[in-house]
Amino acid sequence: MPRNTLTRRTILAAPALIGAAIAPREAASQSIKVLKTRSLLDVAVLDPANRISVTDGDVMRAIFAGLVTQKSGDVWGWDKDLAVEIEQSDPTHIRFQLRPGVAWSNGFGEVMADDVKFSYERMADPAFKAAYRTDWDFLDRVDVTGPHSGVIVLKRPFVPLWSSTLPAGSGLILCRKAVEPLEGRKFTLDPPATNGPYRIKKLDPRRSITLERNPLWTGKRPAYDEIQYIQIVDSNAAEIAYQAGEIDFTQVPLSNVPRLRKSPPPNSRLHVAPSLAYWWLGMQSEAGPFADIRVRRAVQYALDVEMILDGTFLGVAERATGFIAPSLLGRRKANKIVKPDPARARALLAEAGLARGFKTNIGVRNSTEFLSAAQIAAASLAEIGIIAEVIPFDAGQQKALAGDKNGRWKEMGIMISRFTMQPDPSWATAWFVSSQIGEWNFERFSNAEFDRLHEEAKGELDQAKRQAMYERMQDILEESGSYVFLTNGATASLHRNSVKPALSPDGQFQMWSDFAPA
Amino acid sequence: MIAYVVNRLLLAVLIVLVAMVILFSMIHLVPGDPASIVLGTRATPELVQAFRERMGLDDPLALQMLRFIGRSLAGDLGQDLFSNAPVAGVVAREMPHTFALAGLGLGWSVALGIPLGCLSAAYRNSWTDRILGVAAVSAIAVPSFVVAIYTLLVFAVGLRWFPALGAGPDGQPLTQLWHLVLPSFALGLGWVGYICRLVRASMLEVLAENHIRTARAFGLPERRILFRYALTVGVLPTVTLLGSGTGRLLSGAVFIEIVFNRPGIGKLVLEAVNTRNYPIVLGAVLITTITFVLCTLVADVVAALLDPRVRERL
């Protein structure tokens, strides 16, 4: 009869064998420099023309190169990338010279000036219906003057080209030979040819994307051999994963910043960058009590913005002086109404014949931060007799209400909103022009001077004049009584001391080719 | 028995059809134009119109619903809005992870709940019974996501015995099983309590019956009486509970998948809701509903097989 050989040693050996089965792969991954970083969303579209999220942008900047690239650091700016020379010879002509010898993957040859022409004209083509067509709205054509040289010709001057088009996703270059034969000249997750410092090693939808160095890349060599971009939807789960040592870099919610400042995880640094986004409290200006500018001004004087920010962002976010973020041209130095003045607010209400106050709604997105801000605002308004009920809704409902043809927008007196933007001030003013009423101009604000300035500023090359134009536009917004600027917010991220991150000035984008071991 | 199974099958088909109608209506009755919501501020009117045409949003709602039901019955759940991948394929890729999680969670609850319930019944009113009672009620009371966070903090962050993230690489079943230990435990713990209390109650009832007294009078060993004669009858309510419990386990899996960042249906739906990817939401919820209906059906049939009185009741 066979003996039973199950001993304590056998039992103890089992986990060791399991460990040994797992260990070789782990050990192998240690021999190369790997950066493990968190993405909030799944990679959805890698075609620059139709990119969707920050995640797509991060990956695209690693696998494709453009004429210029966004600088990392605290100040918005650009560096040459595939262009060895690039200059604006006049307000509508930009000459460029490509670095020779940059290769496309999959045997598609060298990056040529004709690829630049194809990439930018494809995006500007109305028939192509690119999601980011507005970035190239002013493009007339790209003239190819040599194998590696060309001229970008604009219909009229367009200043955001240098801040939110060329250095951003819309400035990345695709391979004509590889992309043109594709159905509809587009692709989603399977770029037929790439030319950036990294290439896709493994794409695991809804889990992660792994990039490795592109052996054909002739530019500056990236410090990390491999980037693992791991999708973690929940921010708190991401922080736990960071603490468990499974990722090296992650964004963290602003509400966690005070705690992390007090007791950061070991060997870690917290980085807080001013965001480009803008939060505001807006009043629709066409119906009900808010049609009277004195009522809107009363609300402006009644609100204690500092209290709203303290309660919502726990002291992390600064008060905004307008829609344009502090890091951009066009920022205003100060608000016109700096401190709450309930007495003046009551007097304005009395002048408008509403001394006893009235009832209204505050519409907000259904999230903790929006609801907190709305409740604190409602408390401020109660002091002057305005009883505001907080109505939470989905972002889509807000848009539907604003554009409702039966006038349901009248139901919402006040809304607290947040928009994100590109690093050019024109993106902050674009949604408040008269043509946006019923679309994204929730307040139904209309001012001819504002509309004119918005169009003119997009083509103004003189920086000082442009600054003055945007300051004036924000003055007009505040003087209309329809807007109370809350904050531009901030973006917080956590990284190990062993990692030197390279982020865009707003902390949103990760420039992996500039990340380095510390 | 065949008539019983046919009746239950027809009922299941009806439930799925009603669920499809409700699901479709809920998605489309929410205020807001899906095209504007999905495309955001950058959408030009042409882009919005192209999207509406692609999604068939300009057709009457009833026609859209009929088309959805017809296609779903043929196995076509539409396409992912962003990647254009077939929804059925996307859901099929995530389902094994959710099933593995729910299955192992169920495994924990059966493996621990039934023996502990028997122990509690065998030592009725003893300290063991009281301690197990308090522990079981506590396990029921604590939400699974709280258990998930604490198990993560203790075993993944503090002790670093288990991984904190994901499901492990494909093709490495041992690593994947290792990744499943904490999430499945967090998911199944509440059910350990439920099953423990249920088994205890039904065992006490069975242990008081005549055939058990007769077995004792014949001098059969207590262990044999407990496991051979009492447990086979006492476990019946648990079988029925497990059928309906699978649905609750699947919904509990949503939180666990988010906290542990595991792939699965729950995480898929959350992400799809956040990005307004309606075809994915519809497809994933529909498949989950069908799974729930099937589990309940199987549990009912098993209960009818074990207890003839059940099939006479329908």
Side-chain angles (χ1 to χ4, degrees):
Chain A
M1 230 177 118
R3 275 180 59 208
N4 182 356
T5 53
L6 190 67
T7 63
R8 271 179 297 175
R9 281 199 180 93
T10 321
I11 292 167
L12 287 170
L17 281 172
I18 294 169
I22 300 166
R25 288 161 204 270
E26 298 293 326
S29 70
Q30 297 306 313
S31 60
I32 55 169
K33 280 187 211 144
V34 179
L35 174 73
K36 292 181 181 178
T37 172
R38 175 234 178 175
S39 74
L40 171 66
L41 296 170
D42 188 29
V43 180
V45 179
L46 291 177
D47 186 334
N50 294 311
R51 62 194 189 272
I52 289 170
S53 66
V54 171
T55 304
D56 294 344
D58 284 341
V59 176
M60 261 185 271
R61 262 193 312 279
I63 61 171
F64 294 114
L67 293 174
V68 299
T69 185
Q70 183 75 63
K71 256 187 190 172
S72 58
D74 299 330
V75 182
W76 291 100
W78 54 267
D79 280 326
K80 287 175 197 158
D81 198 1
L82 291 189
V84 279
E85 278 176 34
I86 184 163
E87 59 161 356
Q88 183 139 16
S89 46
D90 65 55
T92 54
H93 290 78
I94 295 150
R95 297 184 181 281
F96 65 86
Q97 176 77 37
L98 284 171
R99 171 158 40 101
V102 180
W104 288 110
S105 64
N106 298 328
F108 281 99
E110 197 182 344
V111 178
M112 309 298 273
D114 185 52
D115 292 320
V116 178
K117 178 180 174 67
F118 167 73
S119 306
Y120 298 166
E121 289 183 354
R122 183 187 75 131
M123 280 191 74
D125 180 2
F128 180 67
K129 292 176 183 163
Y132 279 76
R133 185 164 67 87
T134 43
D135 283 353
W136 283 109
D137 232 6
F138 290 68
L139 179 73
D140 183 21
R141 64 186 189 277
V142 178
D143 291 335
V144 175
T145 54
H148 297 107
S149 60
V151 183
I152 299 169
V153 183
L154 304 178
K155 291 174 196 159
R156 49 193 164 117
F158 184 56
V159 183
L161 192 81
W162 291 100
S163 49
S164 60
T165 301
L166 283 175
S170 298
L172 296 171
I173 299 167
L174 298 181
C175 176
R176 181 192 283 274
K177 277 188 223 157
V179 177
E180 201 165 43
L182 300 177
E183 191 187 343
R185 293 181 289 162
K186 59 181 150 188
F187 56 90
T188 49
L189 289 172
D190 46 356
T194 60
N195 62 352
Y198 285 98
R199 65 181 180 186
I200 297 171
K201 182 181 180 186
K202 189 183 172 201
L203 175 62
D204 202 357
R206 295 190 168 82
R207 290 165 185 56
S208 66
I209 182 165
T210 305
L211 306 179
E212 62 183 359
R213 273 207 191 105
N214 177 6
L216 303 173
W217 176 246
T218 53
K220 187 184 140 199
R221 183 181 159 87
Y224 285 96
D225 299 293
E226 190 171 295
I227 308 288
Q228 291 180 14
Y229 202 24
I230 302 164
Q231 190 201 1
I232 307 177
V233 177
D234 183 67
S235 296
N236 290 310
E239 199 184 317
I240 290 176
Y242 177 87
Q243 289 182 355
E246 302 210 4
I247 47 175
D248 306 310
F249 179 92
T250 180
Q251 278 188 8
V252 288
L254 281 187
S255 53
N256 292 1
V257 168
R259 173 176 55 78
L260 289 168
R261 273 187 177 147
K262 209 170 159 188
S263 56
N267 304 316
S268 299
R269 266 181 218 158
L270 182 71
H271 178 263
V272 180
S275 166
L276 283 187
Y278 47 97
W279 295 65
W280 78 97
L281 180 143
M283 288 155 266
Q284 59 88 354
S285 53
E286 284 188 12
F290 294 107
D292 187 331
I293 188 172
R294 290 168 296 188
V295 176
R296 303 199 296 270
R297 299 291 283 171
V299 171
Q300 285 182 321
Y301 279 110
L303 288 173
D304 188 339
V305 176
E306 298 292 351
M307 189 167 76
I308 293 173
L309 298 182
D310 277 353
T312 308
F313 299 103
L314 310 173
V316 179
E318 299 283 324
R319 182 176 178 177
T321 56
F323 285 147
I324 298 167
S327 56
L328 294 181
L329 177 142
R331 185 213 178 197
R332 275 199 319 175
K333 287 181 187 65
N335 284 293
K336 288 186 174 291
I337 298 173
V338 180
K339 285 188 175 171
D341 187 346
R344 189 157 179 192
R346 279 190 212 99
L348 281 163
L349 276 187
E351 263 182 51
L354 291 164
R356 297 177 66 185
F358 61 93
K359 284 188 178 175
T360 189
N361 297 318
I362 303 182
V364 282
R365 273 190 238 166
N366 197 359
S367 81
T368 316
E369 286 167 336
F370 278 101
L371 289 167
S372 302
Q375 277 153 7
I376 299 167
S380 287
L381 294 178
E383 276 190 48
I384 61 163
I386 299 176
I387 308 302
E389 186 189 350
V390 176
I391 312 274
F393 48 55
D394 183 84
Q397 281 174 272
Q398 187 177 19
K399 170 83 165 60
L401 207 60
D404 189 76
K405 304 252 181 321
N406 300 318
R408 283 192 55 225
W409 50 266
K410 291 175 192 166
E411 292 170 18
M412 207 56 69
I414 302 175
M415 287 197 196
I416 296 181
S417 313
R418 174 185 180 268
F419 280 1
T420 53
M421 62 176 277
Q422 304 283 312
D424 187 87
S426 60
W427 290 104
T429 49
W431 318 112
F432 306 98
V433 292
S434 306
S435 59
Q436 283 289 327
I437 292 176
E439 295 289 334
W440 298 101
N441 182 346
F442 302 142
E443 294 76 22
R444 309 180 82 81
F445 162 80
S446 181
N447 181 290
E449 185 190 356
F450 183 93
D451 294 355
R452 180 179 52 78
L453 283 171
H454 170 70
E455 281 308 315
E456 287 175 5
K458 280 196 281 188
E460 179 55 66
L461 294 168
D462 185 315
Q463 300 286 291
K465 279 187 190 163
R466 203 165 183 239
Q467 167 76 29
M469 288 163 126
Y470 281 109
E471 282 187 31
R472 174 67 194 138
M473 276 188 262
Q474 290 167 100
D475 286 348
I476 294 171
L477 288 169
E478 191 176 357
E479 284 160 7
S480 75
S482 292
Y483 299 90
V484 178
F485 306 118
L486 298 177
T487 181
N488 295 107
T491 308
S493 53
L494 201 55
H495 64 90
R496 306 216 179 279
N497 286 342
S498 57
V499 174
K500 194 177 160 211
L503 305 172
S504 57
D506 62 344
Q508 277 290 337
F509 292 101
Q510 302 175 36
M511 279 90 164
W512 295 320
S513 39
D514 292 336
F515 266 65
Chain B
M1 184 65 194
I2 292 171
Y4 175 80
V5 174
V6 170
N7 274 336
R8 291 293 291 110
L9 261 174
L10 288 174
L11 196 63
V13 170
L14 187 68
I15 291 169
V16 170
L17 281 174
V18 171
M20 283 166 99
V21 172
I22 294 173
L23 197 61
F24 184 87
S25 310
M26 276 169 65
I27 290 271
H28 285 263
L29 292 179
V30 170
D33 172 25
S36 303
I37 295 165
V38 168
L39 299 171
T41 50
R42 287 192 167 266
T44 56
E46 306 90 68
L47 211 59
V48 170
Q49 191 49 39
F51 182 89
R52 292 187 66 83
E53 280 166 20
R54 181 158 73 91
M55 297 298 296
L57 294 172
D58 288 332
D59 296 332
L61 205 60
L63 181 65
Q64 289 184 49
M65 187 185 294
L66 282 176
R67 196 189 298 132
F68 167 68
I69 293 172
R71 281 182 184 167
S72 302
L73 292 176
D76 176 7
L77 298 175
Q79 288 183 318
D80 183 326
L81 282 187
F82 305 116
S83 69
N84 291 329
V87 171
V90 173
V91 176
R93 190 167 177 268
E94 304 297 316
M95 281 192 80
H97 292 284
T98 302
F99 283 164
L101 175 63
L104 205 62
L106 207 63
W108 277 107
S109 45
V110 170
L112 293 176
I114 292 178
L116 291 176
C118 288
L119 192 70
S120 225
Y123 294 96
R124 183 185 184 183
N125 294 335
S126 67
W127 276 106
T128 310
D129 182 27
R130 286 187 191 122
I131 290 168
L132 281 173
V134 171
V137 173
S138 308
I140 295 166
V142 181
S144 58
F145 68 88
V146 175
V147 180
I149 289 169
Y150 278 97
T151 49
L152 258 179
L153 288 174
V154 174
F155 296 107
V157 176
L159 300 169
R160 300 213 173 179
W161 287 355
F162 294 94
L165 260 188
D170 291 338
Q172 294 186 36
L174 283 178
T175 314
Q176 289 189 322
L177 194 63
W178 202 238
H179 278 77
L180 253 180
V181 175
L182 285 188
S184 60
F185 177 75
L187 182 62
L189 187 66
W191 281 85
V192 173
Y194 271 122
I195 291 175
C196 176
R197 297 310 288 166
L198 192 69
V199 168
R200 179 189 180 273
S202 65
M203 285 289 281
L204 287 177
E205 207 175 298
V206 176
L207 285 170
E209 285 187 8
N210 290 340
H211 72 283
I212 299 294
R213 194 169 50 200
T214 309
R216 283 196 176 118
F218 273 101
L220 293 178
E222 192 61 25
R223 187 182 294 181
R224 191 169 173 196
I225 293 170
L226 203 64
F227 291 110
R228 177 78 191 273
Y229 298 106
L231 185 59
T232 46
V233 182
V235 83
L236 269 177
T238 310
V239 173
T240 317
L241 180 80
L242 288 181
S244 62
T246 311
R248 291 176 68 177
L249 270 173
L250 286 173
S251 54
V254 175
F255 297 106
I256 301 296
E257 283 169 2
I258 292 160
V259 173
F260 284 91
N261 198 51
R262 285 185 60 80
I265 296 286
K267 190 163 158 265
L268 178 72
V269 171
L270 175 80
E271 198 188 312
V273 167
N274 284 342
T275 54
R276 278 86 178 176
N277 199 337
Y278 295 127
I280 294 277
V281 177
L282 280 171
V285 176
L286 180 63
I287 299 278
T288 313
T289 309
I290 293 172
T291 309
F292 177 56
V293 170
L294 282 178
C295 289
T296 314
L297 177 70
V298 170
D300 285 351
V301 172
V302 171
L305 277 172
L306 293 173
D307 185 351
R309 289 171 299 177
V310 174
R311 50 185 182 255
E312 285 160 13
R313 281 204 289 266
L314 192 82

